[in-house]
Amino acid sequence: MALITETYLRAQLIKGLANPFPVTEGDKLTPAAADFLKERGIPLLRVAPVPSGPSSMQFIPVGVSNRHVHLAPDHIEALFGKGYKLTPLRELSQKGQFAARETVTLKGPHGSLSNVRILGPSRGVTQVEISRTDGFELGVHPPIRLSGDLAGTPGITLVGTVGTVVLSQGLIIAKNHVHASPDEAQSMRLNHGDHILLQAMGERPLIFADVIVRVSPKYSLDFHIDRDEANAAHVSTGDTVQIIHKNAEGRLR
Amino acid sequence: MALITETYLRAQLIKGLANPFPVTEGDKLTPAAADFLKERGIPLLRVAPVPSGPSSMQFIPVGVSNRHVHLAPDHIEALFGKGYKLTPLRELSQKGQFAARETVTLKGPHGSLSNVRILGPSRGVTQVEISRTDGFELGVHPPIRLSGDLAGTPGITLVGTVGTVVLSQGLIIAKNHVHASPDEAQSMRLNHGDHILLQAMGERPLIFADVIVRVSPKYSLDFHIDRDEANAAHVSTGDTVQIIHKNAEGRLR
């Protein structure tokens, strides 16, 4: 329950005002606040209250992932040569992760994509993450999966500077998710495994209706989406999305 | 207010079950229906009731638009020659509209896109519709606009078989919208200018949170989105989205 004033809404304008504007049972708008929204053609969206109580606004920064590859150590050697080590180009938002200077070409049944970034360090299993748009280019249509969930996924061919790796599986479209450290999760009253609704607040008001929260000391607060999702929501890395609803895992309220 | 049974939910499976599943105040789930959703990890989303009364499911077919061009008559001649007429290749879902056999190349400051389809018949003013992804390819970033709303939009260069047209404005990313005939609108209790929330029910549960309804005898029922939106929601032409909320224009409820 909150009193929503025009002053409050004007302050939100800097971050981007949610459209429609989410309100929970018992929220009150001042007449000036109601006019403020009405003038901008912004309707109200009644949502169930966030379990933690007051409808405090909670924002999560967006991290947009372009197509990329995680490589197993033996695949690094197969693509770039015996004993080869990846060269970090820049750090990523998740601690210890980096974009490598090295890239590969992906070859699919219908086409190929060159300069596909490798992310380091190496992993146990090679995994290739593309967008659905990329899939049409390559001629292969992988399922939406969380990282590491590779059973039954299609393969793809990777071409490096000295060799080629033909994967029999490991190609996915990444399922969007929120990363948070335990401290960040606690301060936002989020738990590992929560399903939340996130609203983009730009020119294209889009609600991501089933986003899984993953909490680990390795993580930093970030909403991971791919280029298709970023373009559909007209957001870029560093923009924020707003939590408009939370559900405990598997629990119906 | 509705009684939601397991049988009802099973019948919905064919069309795709909304995730989260929208319910309005007063809706009752049978214990079997609640278990059915719980087993599938589908949470409930409480939404304000559709003004028309019962929370009957309402579906709208998706029409995905790839990048395309509408040409003014003088631009057809400039690109393809004096007195040139477009050749229909196939009919579109909207009556009288066709995809032409002819294509153009779009040239932007950073890159170009070839084989961009022309839609006929000719229009008063030339308009070029691209996705945000296309904009990164071309190096130009047009705003999200409804068709015809071209004031202040950037230009682009079009190359045809005999000539080139340099537009000073007319490049947009299409704002998603629903087309409906007056009969279709009436049967779905939609009005011209309504803002509605539409949920995609595929592998990527996405809610389009502010979709404008346009009603005209020229129109057929269709939810128009671009490739970025289709890929983000993992839907294709012919899939359906579900109306989960309606707002009258500018009216706060």
Side-chain angles (χ1 to χ4, degrees):
Chain A
M1 183 149 60
L3 179 69
I4 296 161
T5 64
E6 189 194 358
T7 310
Y8 172 78
L9 293 175
R10 284 201 186 280
Q12 294 300 318
L13 270 182
I14 298 158
K15 291 181 162 179
L17 202 56
N19 180 4
F21 187 81
V23 291
T24 62
E25 199 66 38
D27 279 353
K28 295 260 179 290
L29 272 86
T30 64
D35 283 347
F36 181 88
L37 292 174
K38 199 170 175 176
E39 279 162 15
R40 284 161 181 78
I42 298 174
L44 296 182
L45 174 65
R46 295 191 189 280
V47 297
V50 171
S52 54
S55 65
S56 57
M57 299 294 164
Q58 294 188 290
F59 298 94
I60 297 181
V62 171
V64 182
S65 292
N66 208 338
R67 64 187 82 105
H68 64 270
V69 175
H70 302 278
L71 290 176
D74 58 325
H75 287 159
I76 295 177
E77 296 202 335
L79 292 165
F80 298 103
K82 194 127 192 87
Y84 194 89
K85 296 268 175 266
L86 295 175
T87 321
L89 176 68
R90 59 184 164 76
E91 287 195 2
L92 301 179
S93 66
Q94 304 304 310
K95 294 167 201 107
Q97 300 283 304
F98 61 87
R101 199 170 290 279
E102 293 80 4
T103 61
V104 292
T105 294
L106 299 181
K107 292 207 166 181
H110 291 168
S112 64
L113 293 166
S114 54
N115 302 316
V116 178
R117 189 64 56 195
I118 297 169
L119 302 193
S122 65
R123 284 195 183 185
V125 177
T126 294
Q127 174 173 305
V128 180
E129 301 180 35
I130 63 170
S131 70
R132 192 172 182 239
T133 296
D134 294 336
F136 285 112
E137 195 80 19
L138 295 168
V140 59
H141 304 291
I144 314 288
R145 292 284 181 86
L146 284 172
S147 190
D149 180 13
L150 303 182
T153 59
I156 190 81
T157 297
L158 287 66
V159 182
T161 51
V162 308
T164 291
V165 167
V166 180
L167 291 182
S168 59
Q169 68 172 35
L171 184 69
I172 63 171
I173 298 173
K175 183 173 166 60
N176 58 41
H177 56 277
V178 164
H179 275 171
S181 72
D183 283 355
E184 288 161 343
Q186 194 180 19
S187 80
M188 302 195 86
R189 295 191 179 90
L190 293 173
N191 296 301
H192 186 76
D194 275 357
H195 290 243
I196 60 177
L197 273 79
L198 294 176
Q199 164 129 27
M201 295 165 298
E203 282 192 82
R204 288 183 141 172
L206 205 63
I207 297 170
F208 296 91
D210 185 23
V211 179
I212 292 174
V213 177
R214 310 186 92 184
V215 180
S216 160
K218 295 183 304 184
Y219 294 157
S220 310
L221 191 66
D222 230 344
F223 174 43
H224 286 260
I225 55 176
D226 72 13
R227 292 230 147 264
D228 287 341
E229 296 174 304
N231 288 338
H234 211 276
V235 295
S236 302
T237 293
D239 288 343
T240 53
V241 291
Q242 183 180 338
I243 302 176
I244 59 169
H245 192 66
K246 296 178 192 175
N247 291 295
E249 185 178 25
R251 194 164 57 99
L252 294 172
R253 306 183 315 107
Chain B
M1 184 151 58
L3 179 69
I4 297 162
T5 64
E6 188 195 357
T7 310
Y8 173 77
L9 292 174
R10 284 200 186 281
Q12 294 299 319
L13 272 182
I14 299 157
K15 291 181 164 179
L17 203 56
N19 181 3
F21 188 81
V23 292
T24 61
E25 198 66 39
D27 280 353
K28 295 261 179 290
L29 273 85
T30 64
D35 284 347
F36 181 89
L37 292 175
K38 199 169 175 176
E39 280 162 14
R40 284 160 182 78
I42 298 174
L44 296 182
L45 173 66
R46 295 191 190 280
V47 296
V50 172
S52 53
S55 65
S56 57
M57 299 295 164
Q58 294 188 289
F59 297 94
I60 297 181
V62 170
V64 182
S65 291
N66 209 336
R67 65 186 82 105
H68 63 270
V69 175
H70 302 276
L71 291 175
D74 57 325
H75 287 159
I76 296 176
E77 296 201 335
L79 293 165
F80 299 102
K82 194 127 192 87
Y84 194 89
K85 296 269 175 264
L86 296 174
T87 320
L89 176 68
R90 59 184 164 76
E91 288 195 359
L92 301 178
S93 65
Q94 303 305 312
K95 294 166 202 110
Q97 301 281 305
F98 61 87
R101 197 170 292 278
E102 293 80 4
T103 62
V104 292
T105 294
L106 299 181
K107 291 208 167 181
H110 291 168
S112 63
L113 293 165
S114 54
N115 301 316
V116 178
R117 189 64 55 196
I118 297 169
L119 302 193
S122 65
R123 283 196 183 182
V125 177
T126 293
Q127 175 173 306
V128 179
E129 301 179 36
I130 63 170
S131 70
R132 192 171 181 240
T133 296
D134 295 335
F136 285 112
E137 195 79 20
L138 294 168
V140 58
H141 304 291
I144 314 287
R145 292 286 180 85
L146 284 173
S147 190
D149 179 14
L150 303 182
T153 59
I156 190 80
T157 298
L158 287 67
V159 182
T161 51
V162 308
T164 291
V165 168
V166 180
L167 291 182
S168 60
Q169 68 171 34
L171 184 70
I172 63 170
I173 298 173
K175 183 172 166 61
N176 58 41
H177 56 276
V178 164
H179 275 171
S181 72
D183 282 356
E184 288 161 343
Q186 194 181 18
S187 80
M188 303 193 86
R189 297 191 178 91
L190 294 172
N191 296 300
H192 186 77
D194 276 357
H195 291 242
I196 60 178
L197 273 81
L198 293 176
Q199 164 130 28
M201 296 165 298
E203 282 192 82
R204 288 184 141 170
L206 205 62
I207 297 170
F208 296 91
D210 185 24
V211 179
I212 292 175
V213 177
R214 309 187 91 183
V215 180
S216 159
K218 294 183 303 182
Y219 294 157
S220 310
L221 191 66
D222 231 345
F223 174 43
H224 286 259
I225 56 177
D226 72 13
R227 292 230 147 264
D228 287 341
E229 296 174 304
N231 288 337
H234 211 275
V235 294
S236 302
T237 293
D239 287 344
T240 54
V241 290
Q242 182 179 338
I243 301 176
I244 59 169
H245 192 66
K246 295 179 193 175
N247 290 293
E249 186 178 24
R251 196 164 57 99
L252 296 173
R253 306 182 319 108

